[in-house]
């Protein structure tokens, strides 16, 4: 049972217009910024070591995406995550292709010590992060979100955070309460960086609701799911889908979230 209607979280987001500090990859910067703006948040993309601590400290939330990783960026991510923890600022970790290389695994192991509020990844990434497997072909998922449910729950319990596994069916848990979210559209995997943008969107919702990271994250995923489904009905292909997704995110109402009927409890496997 949710403590509040999901639509309340969209109201809070748009009222707060939170500043979200995104250390994300080159491919995702523009699309992520547009997704946040369309939904009602305020994005900023900074990654220089000389300023990330200062900027994180004045942000509503931090989103770290390790997609196009390099040593200077990795150092900046650690500085930003440490600053977020020290200042009680919520932050989201997107462990892109964490199972692919030792470099990514070492960095994520370090970042986890700074207690992310939310971890958002595909099934392969969540399994790899939990140490169950080193799976993943680049950023593609090679297992289903259902198969990663056990890993997600274990990861959430170990790090006392929310874990969101996204795919054809999303699974989200705080280690105690678990939800499954259905929706979206088959065109979504045909457009790059949507997952990256979703991680930042989760950060924006959590920024507006620090005390309810599970339900705030759920609201972010619901927004994406509803918007994806509606955009898919209008689109002729991946290009028009991306445009339609921005428009549908902009047009979403709190009632759309509160009446979203495809939310159901999930049991640990």
């Amino acid at each position: 049972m949710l403590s509040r209607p999901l639509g309340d979280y969209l109201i809070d987001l748009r009222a707060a217009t939170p500043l979200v500090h995104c250390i994300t990859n080159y491919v995702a910067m523009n699309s992520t910024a547009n997704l946040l703006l369309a939904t009602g948040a305020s994005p900023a993309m900074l990654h220089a070591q000389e300023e990330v601590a200062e900027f994180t400290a004045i942000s509503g939330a931090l989103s770290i995406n390790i997609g196009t990783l390099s040593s200077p960026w990795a150092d900046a991510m650690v500085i930003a995550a440490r600053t977020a923890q020290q200042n009680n600022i919520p932050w989201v970790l997107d462990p892109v292709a964490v199972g692919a290389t030792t470099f990514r695994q070492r960095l994520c192991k370090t970042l986890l010590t700074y207690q992310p509020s939310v971890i958002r990844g595909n099934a392969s990434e969540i399994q790899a992060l939990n140490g169950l497997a080193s799976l993943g072909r680049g950023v593609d998922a090679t297992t289903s979100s259902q198969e990663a449910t056990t890993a997600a729950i274990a990861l959430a319990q170990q790090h006392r955070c929310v874990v969101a596994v996204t795919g054809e069916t999303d699974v989200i848990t705080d280690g105690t309460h678990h939800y499954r979210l259905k929706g979206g559209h088959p065109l979504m995997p045909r457009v790059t960086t949507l997952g990256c943008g979703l991680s930042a969107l989760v950060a924006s919702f959590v920024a507006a609701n620090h005390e309810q990271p599970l339900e705030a994250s759920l609201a972010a995923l619901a927004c994406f799911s509803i918007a994806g489904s509606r955009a898919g009905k209008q689109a002729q292909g991946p290009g028009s889908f991306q445009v339609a997704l921005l428009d549908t995110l902009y047009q979403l109402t709190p009632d759309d979230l509160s009446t979203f009927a495809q939310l159901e409890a999930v049991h640990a496997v």
Side-chain angles (χ1 to χ4, degrees):
M1 176 73 70
L2 299 176
S3 65
R4 304 168 62 198
L6 280 187
D8 287 0
Y9 294 94
L10 182 59
I11 293 172
D12 292 344
L13 168 69
R14 289 175 172 167
T17 319
L19 176 62
V20 182
H21 178 193
C22 303
I23 307 180
T24 191
N25 64 77
Y26 287 117
V27 184
M29 287 183 182
N30 181 264
S31 58
T32 295
N34 284 334
L35 285 170
L36 294 187
L37 289 168
T39 311
S42 178
M45 312 290 170
L46 296 87
H47 54 263
Q49 296 176 53
E50 294 82 359
E51 62 177 351
V52 291
E54 183 179 356
F55 198 83
T56 298
I58 62 169
S59 299
L62 168 69
S63 179
I64 292 179
N65 175 298
I66 68 168
T68 51
L69 200 55
S70 67
S71 293
W73 278 34
D75 292 343
M77 290 171 182
V78 171
I79 294 169
R82 182 190 306 128
T83 303
Q85 182 191 42
Q86 291 171 345
N87 290 274
N88 199 28
I89 292 166
W91 73 278
V92 175
L93 173 62
D94 187 339
V96 180
V98 62
T101 68
T102 303
F103 182 32
R104 291 171 185 272
Q105 292 160 18
R106 283 201 309 262
L107 174 61
C108 284
K109 185 176 180 180
T110 300
L111 291 173
L112 285 171
T113 65
Y114 298 109
Q115 298 178 305
S117 309
V118 184
I119 301 167
R120 201 292 314 169
N122 65 37
S124 298
E125 291 160 351
I126 296 305
Q127 283 194 298
L129 199 61
N130 191 49
L132 297 181
S134 292
L135 304 172
R137 179 170 54 86
V139 297
D140 298 333
T142 57
T143 188
S144 71
S145 56
Q146 183 58 39
E147 291 172 320
T149 299
T150 301
I153 294 171
L155 198 61
Q157 291 173 344
Q158 180 180 358
H159 296 285
R160 292 174 294 173
C161 67
V162 172
V163 176
V165 189
T166 54
E168 289 185 15
T169 298
D170 300 338
V171 174
I172 182 168
T173 178
D174 63 359
T176 302
H177 304 95
H178 327 299
Y179 296 97
R180 178 185 290 119
L181 200 69
K182 298 179 181 178
H185 192 274
L187 277 173
M188 296 181 87
R190 298 289 184 175
V191 180
T192 190
T193 72
L194 290 190
C196 306
L198 176 55
S199 295
L201 189 64
V202 168
S204 70
F205 272 84
V206 177
N209 284 278
H210 294 207
E211 297 78 17
Q212 290 283 356
L214 176 64
E215 294 187 12
S217 300
L218 189 56
L221 268 62
C223 277
F224 224 60
S225 184
I226 297 167
S229 179
R230 292 181 179 177
K233 294 175 182 177
Q234 306 171 30
Q236 301 300 308
S240 55
F241 178 86
Q242 190 168 25
V243 174
L245 182 66
L246 290 177
D247 289 344
T248 52
L249 283 170
Y250 178 77
Q251 293 162 2
L252 281 178
T253 69
D255 284 345
D256 290 328
L257 269 68
S258 294
T259 58
F260 188 49
Q262 293 178 299
L263 185 64
E264 58 184 10
V266 170
H267 299 285
V269 226

